[in-house]
Amino acid sequence: MEGQSLSTKDALMHGLIIGLIQVVLTLLIYVFGVEYLTKWWLSLIVLTIFLVTLVISGKKFRSANNGVATLKEMFGFLIVTFLSAFIISTIFNIVLHNVIDPGLALQMKEILINDTVSLMERFGGSDDDIDEAVSRFATFEQEFTPLKQLMGIVWAPIWGGIIVLIISASLKKSRGIFDEE
């Protein structure tokens, strides 16, 4: 039981570190310009950093266990790491969108609408198609209310569990039949 609580403590510490990395990245992007918060390619980079740090955490966990970690152990460690990082990131986003800059979601909405209209005009979109696309942004800023963001924590174990399961399966390593225990 002592070893299990140490693993949980380590997972929480890794989650704290990853969560803080996410917070710093989000804050840097925000400082460089709100328009960068709407760029899909930057979101992809941040997601990649998140996944890489999860993999690094899993490898450190396996190394700390003499290079061995079952799927169950790896999954347990990484899901705690993932959820703690996700909660930290979510709390920061709630503070960013509702305390630091309450108009941020509206600014992002305007940028996305302008980018969408510009793109559709370049590709010859009809006025009706453009109006329909713009109408889809009507409730965009409501996605950043504290309640909506906290709802993400409800869904995180589901999609996060799938991601963590894939990473865990790739990082697990069982003890060989000739290895000493």
Side-chain angles (χ1 to χ4, degrees), residues 109 135-143:
K109 175 182 172 179
S135 71
R136 292 183 184 160
F137 288 104
T139 61
F140 178 81
E141 61 269 17
Q142 293 172 5
E143 296 299 316

Side-chain angles (χ1 to χ4, degrees), residues 33-50:
V34 174
E35 65 275 7
Y36 292 109
L37 290 171
T38 65
K39 303 299 181 195
W40 67 268
W41 55 268
L42 199 49
S43 296
L44 191 61
I45 291 170
V46 171
L47 176 64
T48 301
I49 291 169
F50 182 77

Side-chain angles (χ1 to χ4, degrees), residues 60-80:
K60 285 185 178 185
F61 172 73
R62 188 179 63 199
S63 293
N65 289 311
N66 299 320
V68 177
T70 65
L71 180 62
K72 179 181 175 183
E73 293 167 339
M74 186 64 72
F75 181 82
F77 180 83
L78 288 178
I79 197 71
V80 171

